[in-house]
Coordinates of all heavy atoms in Angstrom, one line a residue:
M1 N 0.9 -1.1 0.0 CA 0.0 0.0 0.1 C 0.8 1.2 0.0 O 1.8 1.4 -0.6 CB -0.9 0.0 1.2 CG -2.1 -1.0 1.2 SD -3.6 -0.4 0.5 CE -3.7 1.2 1.5
S2 N 0.6 2.2 0.9 CA 1.2 3.6 0.8 C 2.5 3.5 1.5 O 3.3 4.5 1.3 CB 0.2 4.6 1.4 OG 0.1 4.4 2.7
G3 N 2.7 2.6 2.3 CA 4.0 2.5 3.1 C 3.9 3.6 4.2 O 5.1 3.9 4.7
L4 N 2.8 4.1 4.7 CA 2.8 5.1 5.8 C 3.2 4.5 7.0 O 2.9 3.3 7.3 CB 1.4 5.6 5.9 CG 0.9 6.4 4.7 CD1 -0.7 6.8 5.0 CD2 1.7 7.7 4.6
S5 N 3.8 5.2 7.8 CA 4.2 4.7 9.2 C 3.0 4.6 10.1 O 2.1 5.2 9.9 CB 5.3 5.7 9.8 OG 4.6 6.9 10.1
V6 N 3.2 3.9 11.2 CA 2.2 3.8 12.3 C 1.8 5.3 12.8 O 0.6 5.6 12.9 CB 2.7 2.9 13.5 CG1 1.7 3.0 14.6 CG2 2.9 1.5 12.9
A7 N 2.7 6.1 13.0 CA 2.5 7.5 13.4 C 1.7 8.3 12.3 O 0.8 9.0 12.7 CB 3.9 8.2 13.7
E8 N 2.0 8.1 11.1 CA 1.2 8.7 10.1 C -0.2 8.2 9.9 O -1.2 8.9 9.9 CB 1.9 8.5 8.7 CG 3.2 9.3 8.6 CD 4.1 9.1 7.4 OE1 4.2 7.8 7.0 OE2 4.7 9.9 6.8
L9 N -0.3 6.9 10.0 CA -1.6 6.3 10.2 C -2.5 6.8 11.3 O -3.7 7.1 11.2 CB -1.6 4.8 10.1 CG -1.1 4.0 8.8 CD1 -0.8 2.7 9.0 CD2 -2.0 4.4 7.6
D10 N -1.9 6.9 12.5 CA -2.4 7.4 13.7 C -2.9 8.8 13.4 O -3.9 9.2 14.0 CB -1.6 7.0 14.9 CG -1.5 5.7 15.3 OD1 -2.3 4.9 14.9 OD2 -0.5 5.4 16.2
A11 N -2.2 9.6 12.8 CA -2.5 11.0 12.6 C -3.7 11.1 11.6 O -4.6 11.9 11.9 CB -1.3 11.7 12.0
L12 N -3.7 10.2 10.6 CA -5.0 10.1 9.8 C -6.2 9.8 10.6 O -7.3 10.4 10.5 CB -4.7 9.2 8.7 CG -3.8 9.6 7.6 CD1 -3.5 8.5 6.5 CD2 -4.1 10.9 6.8
I13 N -6.0 8.8 11.4 CA -7.2 8.3 12.2 C -7.7 9.5 13.2 O -8.8 9.8 13.4 CB -6.7 7.1 13.1 CG1 -6.6 5.9 12.1 CG2 -7.9 6.8 14.2 CD1 -5.9 4.8 12.8
A14 N -6.7 10.2 13.8 CA -7.0 11.3 14.7 C -7.7 12.3 13.9 O -8.8 13.0 14.4 CB -5.8 11.9 15.4
E15 N -7.3 12.6 12.7 CA -8.0 13.7 11.9 C -9.4 13.4 11.5 O -10.2 14.2 11.6 CB -7.1 13.8 10.6 CG -7.7 14.8 9.6 CD -6.9 14.9 8.3 OE1 -5.7 14.5 8.3 OE2 -7.5 15.4 7.3
A16 N -9.6 12.0 11.2 CA -11.0 11.7 10.8 C -12.0 11.5 12.0 O -13.1 11.6 11.8 CB -11.0 10.4 10.2
T17 N -11.4 11.4 13.3 CA -12.3 11.1 14.2 C -12.2 12.0 15.4 O -12.6 11.9 16.5 CB -11.8 9.7 15.0 OG1 -10.4 9.8 15.4 CG2 -11.9 8.5 14.0
I18 N -11.6 13.4 15.2 CA -11.4 14.3 16.1 C -12.6 14.7 16.9 O -12.5 14.9 18.1 CB -10.8 15.5 15.5 CG1 -10.1 16.5 16.6 CG2 -11.6 16.1 14.6 CD1 -9.2 17.5 16.1
D19 N -13.7 14.7 16.4 CA -15.0 15.1 17.1 C -15.9 14.0 17.3 O -17.1 14.2 17.6 CB -15.7 16.2 16.2 CG -15.0 17.5 16.0 OD1 -14.3 17.8 17.0 OD2 -15.1 18.2 14.8
C20 N -15.4 12.8 17.4 CA -16.2 11.7 17.6 C -16.2 11.2 19.0 O -15.1 11.2 19.8 CB -15.8 10.6 16.8 SG -15.7 10.9 15.0
Y21 N -17.3 10.9 19.6 CA -17.4 10.5 21.0 C -17.3 9.0 21.2 O -17.0 8.7 22.2 CB -18.8 11.0 21.6 CG -18.8 12.5 21.6 CD1 -19.5 13.3 20.9 CD2 -18.1 13.1 22.6 CE1 -19.4 14.6 20.8 CE2 -18.0 14.5 22.8 CZ -18.8 15.2 21.8 OH -18.8 16.6 21.8
D22 N -17.7 8.2 20.3 CA -17.8 6.7 20.4 C -17.3 6.0 19.2 O -17.1 6.7 18.2 CB -19.2 6.2 20.9 CG -20.2 6.5 20.0 OD1 -20.0 6.6 18.8 OD2 -21.5 6.4 20.5
E23 N -17.3 4.6 19.3 CA -16.8 3.9 18.1 C -17.8 4.0 16.8 O -17.3 4.1 15.7 CB -16.8 2.3 18.6 CG -16.3 1.5 17.5 CD -16.1 0.0 18.0 OE1 -15.4 -0.2 19.0 OE2 -16.9 -0.7 17.5
H24 N -19.0 4.2 17.0 CA -19.9 4.4 15.8 C -19.7 5.8 15.3 O -19.7 5.7 14.0 CB -21.5 4.3 16.3 CG -21.8 3.0 17.0 ND1 -21.8 2.0 16.2 CD2 -22.0 2.7 18.3 CE1 -22.2 0.9 17.0 NE2 -22.3 1.3 18.3
E25 N -19.4 6.7 16.0 CA -19.1 8.1 15.5 C -17.7 8.1 14.7 O -17.5 8.6 13.7 CB -19.1 9.1 16.4 CG -20.6 9.6 16.8 CD -20.6 10.6 17.9 OE1 -19.7 11.4 18.1 OE2 -21.8 11.0 18.4
Q26 N -16.8 7.3 15.3 CA -15.5 7.1 14.7 C -15.6 6.5 13.3 O -14.9 7.0 12.3 CB -14.6 6.3 15.6 CG -14.1 7.2 16.8 CD -13.4 6.4 17.8 OE1 -13.1 5.2 17.6 NE2 -13.0 7.0 18.9
V27 N -16.3 5.3 13.2 CA -16.3 4.7 11.9 C -17.1 5.5 10.9 O -16.7 5.5 9.7 CB -17.0 3.2 12.0 CG1 -18.5 3.3 12.2 CG2 -16.8 2.4 10.8
A28 N -18.2 6.3 11.4 CA -18.8 7.4 10.5 C -17.8 8.4 10.0 O -17.9 8.8 8.9 CB -19.9 7.9 11.2
G29 N -16.9 8.9 10.8 CA -15.8 9.8 10.5 C -14.9 9.3 9.5 O -14.6 10.0 8.5
L30 N -14.4 8.1 9.7 CA -13.6 7.5 8.8 C -14.3 7.2 7.5 O -13.7 7.4 6.4 CB -13.0 6.2 9.4 CG -12.0 6.3 10.4 CD1 -11.9 5.1 11.3 CD2 -10.6 6.7 9.9
Y31 N -15.5 6.8 7.6 CA -16.2 6.5 6.3 C -16.4 7.9 5.5 O -16.1 8.0 4.3 CB -17.7 6.0 6.6 CG -18.6 6.0 5.4 CD1 -18.4 5.0 4.4 CD2 -19.7 6.9 5.5 CE1 -19.3 5.1 3.4 CE2 -20.6 6.9 4.4 CZ -20.4 6.1 3.3 OH -21.2 6.1 2.4
G32 N -16.7 9.0 6.1 CA -16.8 10.2 5.5 C -15.7 10.7 4.9 O -15.7 11.2 3.7
V33 N -14.5 10.5 5.4 CA -13.2 10.9 4.9 C -12.9 10.0 3.6 O -12.5 10.5 2.5 CB -12.1 10.8 5.9 CG1 -10.8 11.3 5.1 CG2 -12.3 11.9 6.9
M34 N -13.2 8.7 3.8 CA -12.9 7.8 2.7 C -13.8 8.2 1.5 O -13.3 8.2 0.3 CB -13.2 6.4 3.0 CG -12.0 5.6 3.4 SD -12.4 3.9 3.5 CE -12.6 3.7 5.3
V35 N -15.1 8.6 1.7 CA -16.0 8.9 0.6 C -15.4 10.2 -0.1 O -15.5 10.3 -1.3 CB -17.4 9.1 1.1 CG1 -18.3 9.8 0.1 CG2 -18.1 7.8 1.6
D36 N -15.0 11.1 0.7 CA -14.5 12.3 0.2 C -13.1 12.2 -0.7 O -12.8 12.9 -1.5 CB -14.3 13.4 1.2 CG -15.6 13.8 1.7 OD1 -16.6 13.7 1.1 OD2 -15.6 14.6 2.9
E37 N -12.3 11.4 0.0 CA -10.9 11.1 -0.6 C -10.6 10.1 -1.5 O -9.6 10.2 -2.3 CB -9.9 11.2 0.6 CG -9.9 12.4 1.4 CD -9.5 13.6 0.8 OE1 -8.7 13.6 0.0 OE2 -10.1 14.7 1.1
L38 N -11.1 8.9 -1.5 CA -10.9 7.8 -2.3 C -11.4 7.9 -3.6 O -12.6 8.2 -3.8 CB -11.5 6.5 -1.7 CG -11.2 5.2 -2.3 CD1 -9.7 4.9 -2.2 CD2 -11.9 4.1 -1.7
A39 N -10.5 7.9 -4.7 CA -10.8 8.0 -6.0 C -11.6 6.7 -6.6 O -11.0 5.7 -6.7 CB -9.7 8.3 -6.9
V40 N -12.9 6.8 -6.8 CA -13.7 5.7 -7.3 C -14.2 6.1 -8.6 O -14.6 7.5 -8.7 CB -14.8 5.2 -6.4 CG1 -14.1 4.5 -5.2 CG2 -15.7 6.3 -5.9
P41 N -14.7 5.3 -9.5 CA -14.3 3.9 -9.5 C -12.7 3.5 -9.9 O -12.1 4.4 -10.3 CB -15.3 3.4 -10.7 CG -15.2 4.6 -11.6 CD -15.2 5.8 -10.8
F42 N -12.5 2.3 -9.4 CA -11.1 1.7 -9.7 C -11.3 0.3 -9.8 O -12.3 -0.4 -9.4 CB -10.2 2.3 -8.6 CG -10.3 1.5 -7.2 CD1 -9.9 0.4 -6.9 CD2 -10.9 2.4 -6.2 CE1 -10.1 -0.1 -5.6 CE2 -11.2 1.9 -5.0 CZ -10.8 0.6 -4.7
Q43 N -10.4 -0.4 -10.5 CA -10.3 -1.8 -10.7 C -9.6 -2.5 -9.7 O -8.6 -2.0 -9.3 CB -9.8 -2.0 -12.1 CG -10.6 -1.5 -13.2 CD -11.8 -2.1 -13.6 OE1 -11.9 -3.3 -13.6 NE2 -12.9 -1.3 -13.9
T44 N -9.9 -3.7 -9.3 CA -9.2 -4.5 -8.4 C -9.6 -5.9 -8.8 O -10.5 -6.3 -9.6 CB -9.4 -4.2 -7.0 OG1 -8.4 -4.9 -6.2 CG2 -10.8 -4.5 -6.5
T45 N -9.0 -6.9 -8.0 CA -9.3 -8.3 -8.3 C -9.7 -9.0 -6.9 O -9.1 -8.8 -5.9 CB -8.0 -9.0 -8.8 OG1 -7.7 -8.4 -10.0 CG2 -8.3 -10.6 -9.1
V46 N -10.9 -9.5 -6.9 CA -11.5 -10.3 -5.8 C -11.6 -11.7 -6.0 O -12.3 -12.1 -7.1 CB -12.8 -9.6 -5.3 CG1 -13.5 -10.3 -4.2 CG2 -12.6 -8.0 -5.0
L47 N -10.9 -12.6 -5.4 CA -11.0 -14.0 -5.6 C -10.7 -14.3 -6.9 O -11.4 -15.2 -7.6 CB -12.3 -14.6 -5.1 CG -12.7 -14.4 -3.6 CD1 -14.0 -14.9 -3.3 CD2 -11.6 -15.1 -2.8
G48 N -9.8 -13.7 -7.6 CA -9.3 -14.0 -8.9 C -10.2 -13.4 -10.0 O -9.9 -13.7 -11.2
V49 N -11.2 -12.6 -9.7 CA -12.1 -12.0 -10.6 C -11.9 -10.4 -10.6 O -12.0 -9.8 -9.6 CB -13.6 -12.4 -10.2 CG1 -14.4 -11.7 -11.2 CG2 -13.8 -13.9 -10.3
A50 N -11.7 -9.9 -11.8 CA -11.6 -8.4 -12.0 C -13.0 -7.9 -11.7 O -14.0 -8.3 -12.3 CB -11.1 -8.1 -13.3
V51 N -13.0 -6.9 -10.8 CA -14.1 -6.2 -10.4 C -13.9 -4.7 -10.4 O -12.8 -4.2 -10.4 CB -14.7 -6.5 -9.0 CG1 -15.2 -8.0 -8.9 CG2 -13.8 -6.1 -8.0
T52 N -14.9 -3.9 -10.5 CA -14.9 -2.3 -10.3 C -15.5 -1.9 -9.1 O -16.6 -2.3 -8.9 CB -15.6 -1.7 -11.5 OG1 -15.0 -2.2 -12.8 CG2 -15.5 -0.2 -11.5
V53 N -14.7 -1.2 -8.3 CA -15.1 -0.6 -7.1 C -15.9 0.6 -7.5 O -15.2 1.6 -8.0 CB -14.1 -0.5 -6.0 CG1 -14.6 0.3 -4.8 CG2 -13.4 -1.7 -5.7
E54 N -17.2 0.7 -7.4 CA -18.0 1.7 -7.9 C -18.2 2.8 -6.8 O -18.3 4.0 -7.1 CB -19.4 1.2 -8.3 CG -19.5 0.3 -9.3 CD -19.1 0.7 -10.7 OE1 -19.1 2.0 -10.9 OE2 -18.8 -0.1 -11.7
D55 N -18.3 2.4 -5.5 CA -18.7 3.3 -4.3 C -18.3 2.6 -3.1 O -18.1 1.5 -3.0 CB -20.2 3.7 -4.6 CG -20.6 5.0 -3.9 OD1 -19.6 5.6 -3.3 OD2 -21.7 5.4 -3.9
L56 N -18.5 3.3 -2.0 CA -18.6 2.9 -0.6 C -19.8 3.1 0.0 O -20.5 3.9 -0.4 CB -17.4 3.7 0.2 CG -16.0 3.6 -0.4 CD1 -15.1 4.5 0.4 CD2 -15.5 2.2 -0.4
D57 N -20.1 2.3 1.0 CA -21.4 2.5 1.8 C -21.0 2.0 3.1 O -20.0 1.3 3.5 CB -22.3 1.4 1.2 CG -23.8 1.7 1.6 OD1 -23.9 2.8 2.3 OD2 -24.7 1.0 1.3
L58 N -21.8 2.6 4.2 CA -21.7 2.3 5.6 C -23.0 1.4 5.9 O -24.1 2.0 5.7 CB -21.6 3.6 6.3 CG -21.5 3.4 7.8 CD1 -20.2 2.7 8.2 CD2 -21.5 4.9 8.6
T59 N -22.8 0.2 6.4 CA -23.9 -0.6 6.6 C -24.5 -0.1 8.0 O -23.9 0.5 8.9 CB -23.5 -2.1 6.8 OG1 -22.7 -2.3 8.0 CG2 -22.7 -2.5 5.5
G60 N -25.7 -0.7 8.3 CA -26.4 -0.5 9.6 C -25.6 -1.0 10.8 O -25.9 -0.7 11.8
R61 N -24.8 -2.2 10.4 CA -24.0 -2.7 11.5 C -22.6 -2.0 11.9 O -21.8 -2.4 12.5 CB -23.9 -4.1 11.1 CG -25.1 -4.9 10.9 CD -24.9 -6.3 10.8 NE -25.0 -6.9 12.1 CZ -24.6 -8.3 12.3 NH1 -24.1 -8.9 11.3 NH2 -24.7 -8.8 13.5
G62 N -22.4 -0.9 11.0 CA -21.3 -0.2 11.3 C -20.0 -0.7 10.6 O -18.9 -0.5 11.0
H63 N -20.2 -1.3 9.4 CA -19.1 -1.8 8.6 C -19.0 -1.0 7.3 O -20.0 -0.5 6.7 CB -19.3 -3.2 8.2 CG -19.4 -4.1 9.4 ND1 -18.2 -4.4 10.1 CD2 -20.3 -4.8 9.7 CE1 -18.7 -5.3 11.1 NE2 -19.9 -5.5 11.0
I64 N -17.8 -0.6 6.9 CA -17.6 0.0 5.6 C -17.4 -1.1 4.6 O -16.6 -1.9 4.7 CB -16.4 1.1 5.6 CG1 -16.6 2.1 6.8 CG2 -16.2 1.7 4.3 CD1 -15.4 3.0 7.0
V65 N -18.2 -0.9 3.4 CA -18.2 -1.8 2.3 C -17.9 -1.1 1.0 O -18.3 0.1 0.9 CB -19.4 -2.7 2.3 CG1 -19.6 -3.6 3.5 CG2 -20.6 -1.8 2.0
A66 N -17.3 -1.9 0.1 CA -17.1 -1.4 -1.2 C -18.1 -2.0 -2.1 O -18.4 -3.2 -2.0 CB -15.7 -1.7 -1.7
R67 N -18.8 -1.1 -2.9 CA -19.7 -1.8 -3.8 C -19.1 -2.1 -5.2 O -18.5 -1.2 -5.8 CB -20.8 -0.8 -4.0 CG -21.6 -0.4 -2.9 CD -22.7 -1.3 -2.6 NE -23.3 -1.1 -1.3 CZ -24.0 -1.8 -0.6 NH1 -24.1 -3.2 -1.1 NH2 -24.6 -1.6 0.5
C68 N -18.9 -3.3 -5.3 CA -18.1 -3.8 -6.4 C -19.1 -4.5 -7.5 O -20.1 -5.0 -7.2 CB -17.2 -5.0 -5.9 SG -16.0 -4.5 -4.7
S69 N -18.7 -4.2 -8.9 CA -19.6 -4.7 -9.9 C -18.8 -5.3 -10.9 O -17.6 -5.2 -11.1 CB -20.3 -3.5 -10.5 OG -19.4 -2.6 -11.1
R70 N -19.4 -6.2 -11.6 CA -18.8 -7.0 -12.8 C -19.9 -7.5 -13.7 O -20.8 -8.3 -13.0 CB -18.0 -8.0 -12.3 CG -17.4 -8.9 -13.3 CD -16.4 -10.0 -12.8 NE -15.7 -10.7 -14.0 CZ -16.1 -11.9 -14.5 NH1 -17.2 -12.4 -13.9 NH2 -15.4 -12.4 -15.4
G71 N -20.0 -7.3 -14.8 CA -20.9 -7.9 -15.7 C -22.5 -7.6 -15.3 O -23.2 -8.5 -15.4
G72 N -22.8 -6.4 -14.8 CA -24.1 -6.2 -14.4 C -24.5 -6.7 -13.0 O -25.5 -6.5 -12.4
M73 N -23.5 -7.3 -12.2 CA -23.9 -7.9 -11.0 C -23.0 -6.9 -10.0 O -22.0 -6.4 -10.3 CB -23.2 -9.3 -10.9 CG -23.7 -10.3 -11.8 SD -25.2 -11.3 -11.4 CE -24.6 -12.0 -9.9
C74 N -23.7 -6.9 -8.7 CA -23.1 -6.0 -7.8 C -22.8 -6.8 -6.5 O -23.9 -7.6 -6.1 CB -23.9 -4.8 -7.5 SG -23.2 -3.6 -6.4
Q75 N -21.9 -6.6 -5.7 CA -21.6 -7.3 -4.4 C -20.9 -6.4 -3.5 O -20.0 -5.6 -3.9 CB -20.6 -8.5 -4.8 CG -20.2 -9.2 -3.5 CD -21.3 -10.1 -2.9 OE1 -22.2 -10.7 -3.7 NE2 -21.6 -10.1 -1.6
A76 N -21.3 -6.3 -2.2 CA -20.6 -5.5 -1.2 C -19.5 -6.3 -0.6 O -19.8 -7.5 -0.3 CB -21.7 -5.1 -0.1
I77 N -18.4 -5.8 -0.5 CA -17.3 -6.4 0.0 C -16.7 -5.5 1.2 O -16.5 -4.4 1.0 CB -16.1 -6.5 -1.1 CG1 -16.5 -7.2 -2.4 CG2 -14.9 -7.2 -0.4 CD1 -16.9 -8.6 -2.2
L78 N -16.4 -6.1 2.3 CA -15.8 -5.4 3.4 C -14.5 -4.7 3.0 O -13.7 -5.4 2.5 CB -15.7 -6.4 4.7 CG -16.9 -6.9 5.4 CD1 -16.5 -7.9 6.4 CD2 -17.7 -5.6 6.0
V79 N -14.5 -3.4 3.3 CA -13.3 -2.8 2.9 C -12.0 -3.4 3.7 O -10.9 -3.3 3.2 CB -13.4 -1.2 3.2 CG1 -12.1 -0.5 3.3 CG2 -14.3 -0.6 2.3
L80 N -12.3 -3.9 4.8 CA -11.2 -4.6 5.7 C -10.5 -5.6 4.8 O -9.3 -5.8 5.1 CB -11.7 -5.1 7.0 CG -12.2 -4.0 7.9 CD1 -12.8 -4.7 9.2 CD2 -11.0 -3.1 8.4
G81 N -11.3 -6.3 4.0 CA -10.6 -7.4 3.2 C -10.5 -7.2 1.8 O -10.2 -8.1 1.1
L82 N -10.8 -6.0 1.4 CA -10.7 -5.7 0.0 C -9.4 -5.5 -0.5 O -8.5 -4.7 -0.1 CB -11.4 -4.2 -0.3 CG -11.5 -3.7 -1.7 CD1 -12.5 -4.6 -2.6 CD2 -11.9 -2.4 -1.7
P83 N -8.9 -6.4 -1.5 CA -7.5 -6.2 -2.1 C -7.4 -5.0 -2.9 O -8.4 -4.7 -3.7 CB -7.5 -7.4 -3.0 CG -8.7 -8.3 -2.8 CD -9.7 -7.4 -2.1
L84 N -6.4 -4.4 -2.8 CA -6.2 -3.1 -3.6 C -5.3 -3.3 -4.8 O -4.4 -4.1 -4.6 CB -5.7 -1.9 -2.6 CG -6.8 -1.4 -1.6 CD1 -6.1 -0.4 -0.7 CD2 -7.9 -0.8 -2.3
P85 N -5.5 -2.5 -5.7 CA -4.6 -2.7 -7.0 C -3.3 -2.1 -6.7 O -3.0 -1.4 -5.8 CB -5.3 -2.0 -8.1 CG -6.2 -1.0 -7.3 CD -6.5 -1.7 -6.0
T86 N -2.3 -2.4 -7.6 CA -0.9 -1.8 -7.5 C -0.9 -1.0 -8.8 O -0.9 -1.6 -9.9 CB 0.1 -2.8 -7.5 OG1 -0.1 -3.7 -6.2 CG2 1.5 -2.2 -7.4
P87 N -0.6 0.2 -8.8 CA -0.7 1.1 -7.6 C -2.1 1.3 -7.0 O -3.0 1.2 -7.9 CB 0.0 2.5 -8.1 CG -0.5 2.5 -9.5 CD -0.4 1.1 -10.0
P88 N -2.2 1.7 -5.8 CA -3.5 1.9 -5.3 C -4.2 3.1 -5.7 O -3.3 4.1 -6.1 CB -3.2 1.9 -3.7 CG -1.9 2.2 -3.6 CD -1.2 1.7 -4.8
P89 N -5.4 3.3 -5.7 CA -6.0 4.6 -6.2 C -5.8 5.7 -5.2 O -5.4 5.5 -4.0 CB -7.6 4.2 -6.2 CG -7.7 3.2 -5.2 CD -6.4 2.4 -5.2
P90 N -5.7 7.0 -5.7 CA -5.6 8.1 -4.8 C -6.6 8.0 -3.6 O -7.8 7.6 -3.8 CB -5.9 9.3 -5.7 CG -5.6 8.8 -7.1 CD -5.9 7.3 -7.1
G91 N -6.0 8.3 -2.4 CA -7.0 8.3 -1.3 C -6.9 7.0 -0.6 O -7.6 6.7 0.5
A92 N -6.2 5.9 -1.0 CA -6.2 4.6 -0.4 C -5.5 4.7 1.0 O -5.8 3.7 1.8 CB -5.5 3.6 -1.4
Q93 N -4.9 5.6 1.2 CA -4.3 5.7 2.7 C -5.4 5.7 3.7 O -5.2 5.4 4.8 CB -3.3 6.9 2.7 CG -4.0 8.4 2.9 CD -4.3 8.9 1.3 OE1 -4.1 8.3 0.5 NE2 -4.5 10.2 1.4
W94 N -6.6 6.3 3.3 CA -7.6 6.2 4.3 C -8.1 4.8 4.5 O -8.6 4.5 5.7 CB -8.7 7.2 3.9 CG -8.3 8.6 3.9 CD1 -7.8 9.3 3.0 CD2 -8.1 9.3 5.1 NE1 -7.4 10.5 3.5 CE2 -7.7 10.5 4.7 CE3 -8.3 9.0 6.4 CZ2 -7.3 11.5 5.7 CZ3 -8.1 10.1 7.4 CH2 -7.7 11.2 7.0
I95 N -8.1 3.9 3.6 CA -8.4 2.5 3.8 C -7.4 1.9 4.7 O -7.7 1.2 5.7 CB -8.5 1.7 2.4 CG1 -9.7 2.2 1.6 CG2 -8.5 0.2 2.7 CD1 -9.8 1.5 0.2
E96 N -6.1 2.2 4.5 CA -5.1 1.7 5.3 C -5.3 2.1 6.8 O -5.1 1.5 7.8 CB -3.7 2.2 4.9 CG -2.5 1.5 5.4 CD -1.2 1.9 4.8 OE1 -1.2 2.5 3.8 OE2 -0.2 1.5 5.4
A97 N -5.7 3.5 6.9 CA -6.0 4.0 8.3 C -7.0 3.3 8.9 O -7.1 3.0 10.2 CB -6.2 5.5 8.3
Y98 N -8.2 3.1 8.2 CA -9.3 2.4 8.8 C -9.0 1.0 9.2 O -9.3 0.5 10.3 CB -10.5 2.4 7.7 CG -11.7 1.5 8.0 CD1 -12.4 1.7 9.1 CD2 -12.0 0.4 7.2 CE1 -13.5 1.0 9.5 CE2 -13.0 -0.3 7.5 CZ -13.9 -0.1 8.7 OH -14.9 -0.9 8.9
R99 N -8.1 0.3 8.4 CA -7.8 -1.0 8.7 C -7.0 -1.0 10.1 O -7.2 -1.9 10.9 CB -6.9 -1.7 7.6 CG -7.8 -2.0 6.4 CD -7.0 -2.5 5.3 NE -7.8 -3.0 4.2 CZ -7.5 -3.2 3.0 NH1 -6.2 -3.0 2.6 NH2 -8.3 -3.5 2.1
R100 N -6.1 0.0 10.2 CA -5.4 0.2 11.5 C -6.5 0.3 12.7 O -6.3 -0.2 13.7 CB -4.4 1.2 11.4 CG -3.5 1.4 12.8 CD -2.3 2.0 12.7 NE -1.8 2.4 14.0 CZ -1.3 1.6 14.9 NH1 -1.3 0.2 14.6 NH2 -0.8 2.0 16.0
W101 N -7.3 1.4 12.4 CA -8.2 1.7 13.5 C -9.1 0.4 13.9 O -9.3 0.2 15.1 CB -9.2 2.8 12.9 CG -10.3 3.0 13.9 CD1 -10.2 3.9 15.0 CD2 -11.6 2.6 13.9 NE1 -11.5 4.0 15.6 CE2 -12.4 3.1 14.9 CE3 -12.3 1.6 13.1 CZ2 -13.6 2.7 15.2 CZ3 -13.6 1.2 13.3 CH2 -14.3 1.9 14.3
A102 N -9.4 -0.4 12.9 CA -10.3 -1.6 13.2 C -9.7 -2.7 13.9 O -10.3 -3.6 14.4 CB -11.0 -2.0 11.9
R103 N -8.4 -2.7 14.0 CA -7.6 -3.9 14.6 C -7.8 -4.0 16.0 O -8.1 -3.2 16.8 CB -6.1 -3.7 14.4 CG -5.6 -3.7 13.0 CD -4.2 -3.5 12.7 NE -3.5 -3.4 14.0 CZ -2.2 -3.6 14.1 NH1 -1.4 -3.8 13.2 NH2 -1.6 -3.6 15.4

């Protein structure tokens, strides 16, 4: 991915969650920044199949998912497990920060 240090990732997390009071607000803050900063659509491969990441969504259970499409079909994939292409799309550092936050 971006090769950001732990301190840089922590700074991104702090930036996205600065006004958040609990875990639900923090994930919403991270989601909001991802929506604003991640360049979509982009191509990636999921389980050996090329897909297009069309958009992001926040589920009612507090998970950030990527809306992936291929041949008229659409599937939500958890961002935590979404393989990113090389090179990653602009804004992918926010996915990396979310993954660190979710650990």
Side-chain angles (χ1 to χ4, degrees):
M1 287 263 315
S2 68
L4 294 177
S5 70
V6 169
E8 291 169 319
L9 292 173
D10 288 345
L12 289 175
I13 293 166
E15 179 183 337
T17 61
I18 192 164
D19 293 326
C20 301
Y21 293 103
D22 62 23
E23 187 175 297
H24 297 288
E25 288 184 7
Q26 290 174 359
V27 74
L30 287 158
Y31 167 73
V33 174
M34 257 192 263
V35 166
D36 289 344
E37 299 295 327
L38 184 64
V40 292
F42 65 87
Q43 300 286 318
T44 193
T45 302
V46 176
L47 298 175
V49 176
V51 299
T52 301
V53 175
E54 302 284 351
D55 202 0
L56 299 175
D57 199 5
L58 182 60
T59 71
R61 301 183 92 193
H63 300 288
I64 300 174
V65 295
R67 299 280 175 201
C68 301
S69 66
R70 179 175 183 264
M73 307 265 307
C74 187
Q75 176 75 39
I77 306 290
L78 287 173
V79 167
L80 292 175
L82 181 71
L84 292 174
T86 302
Q93 71 272 18
W94 291 102
I95 291 177
E96 193 174 349
Y98 172 61
R99 288 173 177 168
R100 174 160 172 74
W101 174 86
R103 294 179 8 162

